[in-house]
Amino acid sequence: MMRAMRGNLRSELSFASFHATGTNIMNLAKAFVLSIVVFCIAGVSEARPDEAKLSSLVKAGHIEQARSILQRSNPRDADFTFFEALIARHAGEFDKAERLLRDTLALSAEHMNARRELAHVLFVKKNYRSSARAFKLLHNVEPDPKMKALYGTYLRAISNQQPFGIFGHFAFLPSTNVNRGTNDLVYDSVIGDFVIDPASRASSGVGIQLGTSGFLRDAGTKTSRNTITWNLIGNKYKASSFDSAVGVLRFTHLHRLSNRTELAVTPNVRYTWRNNSSNQRAVGVSFSVRQKLSARDSLRFVAQTEYRNYFEQAHNSGRYSGAELGYIRQLSHALSYTLGLSLNAGSPNSAHARFRDLAVSIGYNNRWNSGLITRFRAEVGTKIFESDFPLAGKEREDSYYGLSVSLQNNDWNVLGFTPSLTCSYSSNKSNIAFFQHKVTECNLGISKSF
């Protein structure tokens, strides 16, 4: 059985003739063929019939020679039908190829090459929903982890091509400090010590999060594409004063200047509702540039600005802006590292709340052959304010750091629901007691695409 399976793997060379527009799709096809070549070099047994050779002959136009070889190989009815499907696919008759491949599977449900060809034909026809189902089925039954990883790459490519999508999310939110309150009891002011109100002290709790998000894309061109994204997330706690909801709507215009350079502009609007009288509306825009330096290295620059209008706290209303420069090192199709430097500034109406923030970060992202996705991020920064804090006689100065780890495995799902776990720890040290806090919290959730 293993020899037959390896023989089938070798016959996947028939996909070498798969063509589609777009650099990313071509790279996927090349990676697919290269992976099969590796298996062939490893010394796998000959397929019966040798579908790799037949596909090569059909591609070269030697159809009768290929047919003669097929007839001498003691073929089954499924083999004849699959051969006709190869002829149709190489001729660009994808509708006919799809029909013949489905007929092949009706005759021989275990014909793995027919399943692989069908997934690719559906991909070429831009029938992404059906192609995704076909690749998911291959992903579920494929014993080789490298092939599973490759199917996952195609599934992500399909996701990037879909014109619309809707997602749902549910999570538990345990936190040691829901309100980012201080552990200090006394505020040392210029006129004496004040006992800090219990409402401003650290309070632990477990919340429930419910959210939905989605996107809508146009067909785009080789150089540009427009996308609308939205999300609405609500958090509910036992203490209703911690309850909140956030809704965001974005429009992104992406323009490719070349294979190495991408530009994007994203106007957006965000509404935040809270039970602590800090409701706000933010309207802004961001600009980003991604420059590919080499096959593995790229730079990304993002600048953004927005105006926040606090409906009940006018002193916090004002302009907030930021910029970030990131370096991305892609060690493989699955593993990448990032380094980031960010500068943020806030100019609210209250002079003592105006600040400048500088931070550096490092990140790690890996997609394992098992399907597990792991992410890690660390950040350290400082925040300097412009004017004396009320009754403190000094300007506020903060220093902070944070760590976060997330785990997700798209192969683990029940009825389409995929679990995920993200946990983080952050610490903010301040010379103003109100703002000194530590937080450990997690997001244990499930999500589903519709």
Side-chain angles (χ1 to χ4, degrees), residues 75-92:
R76 304 166 299 171
D77 288 345
D79 297 325
F80 280 115
T81 308
F82 181 68
F83 178 72
E84 295 298 328
L86 289 179
I87 295 174
R89 181 175 65 80
H90 286 301

Side-chain angles (χ1 to χ4, degrees), residues 142-300:
E142 177 64 60
D144 188 275
K146 292 183 179 180
M147 293 301 296
K148 288 173 71 74
L150 196 56
Y151 295 147
T153 302
Y154 270 94
L155 286 169
R156 290 189 293 275
I158 291 171
S159 178
N160 291 334
Q161 294 295 327
Q162 288 180 331
F164 67 90
I166 299 177
F167 310 92
H169 177 75
F170 174 83
F172 290 103
L173 308 172
S175 175
T176 61
N177 192 347
V178 179
N179 60 332
R180 305 301 190 264
T182 180
N183 288 318
D184 290 2
L185 302 178
V186 176
Y187 171 48
D188 183 14
S189 76
V190 294
I191 59 174
D193 293 343
F194 289 90
V195 176
I196 296 177
D197 189 296
S200 298
R201 298 177 191 167
S203 180
S204 62
V206 178
I208 294 176
Q209 184 178 86
L210 185 64
T212 182
S213 61
F215 65 86
L216 179 65
R217 302 188 185 110
D218 63 16
T221 67
K222 292 183 179 180
T223 59
S224 65
R225 192 170 198 179
N226 298 312
T227 304
I228 296 174
T229 59
W230 69 89
N231 60 64
L232 178 62
I233 298 177
N235 298 330
K236 177 69 177 177
Y237 292 88
K238 183 176 181 180
S240 60
S241 59
F242 299 151
D243 294 349
S244 65
V246 178
V248 182
L249 179 65
R250 300 183 182 91
F251 171 82
T252 299
H253 175 72
L254 176 68
H255 188 77
R256 295 181 178 88
L257 296 179
S258 68
N259 289 335
R260 290 181 172 269
T261 309
E262 284 184 353
L263 304 177
V265 56
T266 305
N268 60 85
V269 59
R270 182 182 70 254
Y271 279 84
T272 303
W273 300 271
R274 298 182 186 276
N275 276 350
N276 61 358
S277 301
S278 60
N279 299 336
Q280 61 163 291
R281 178 187 67 239
V283 179
V285 62
S286 67
F287 302 88
S288 68
V289 181
R290 187 180 181 106
Q291 178 67 45
K292 198 169 185 178
L293 304 176
S294 68
R296 292 186 176 183
D297 304 284
S298 59
L299 289 176
R300 185 170 184 262

Side-chain angles (χ1 to χ4, degrees), residues 125-142:
K125 292 177 62 178
K126 298 185 178 181
N127 187 346
Y128 296 124
R129 186 176 295 274
S130 296
S131 181
R133 285 197 296 266
F135 274 116
K136 285 178 181 177
L137 178 60
L138 287 168
H139 190 275
N140 291 336
V141 300
E142 177 64 60

Side-chain angles (χ1 to χ4, degrees), residues 93-152:
E93 299 175 355
F94 298 116
D95 289 338
K96 181 179 179 180
E98 178 186 349
R99 175 175 57 79
L100 289 169
L101 288 168
R102 293 190 185 279
D103 290 344
T104 303
L105 291 171
L107 292 168
S108 177
E110 74 279 5
H111 200 302
M112 288 296 291
N113 285 323
R115 293 194 180 279
R116 296 180 179 110
E117 289 285 0
L118 179 60
H120 281 84
V121 166
L122 292 169
F123 186 81
V124 173
K125 292 177 62 178
K126 298 185 178 181
N127 187 346
Y128 296 124
R129 186 176 295 274
S130 296
S131 181
R133 285 197 296 266
F135 274 116
K136 285 178 181 177
L137 178 60
L138 287 168
H139 190 275
N140 291 336
V141 300
E142 177 64 60
D144 188 275
K146 292 183 179 180
M147 293 301 296
K148 288 173 71 74
L150 196 56
Y151 295 147

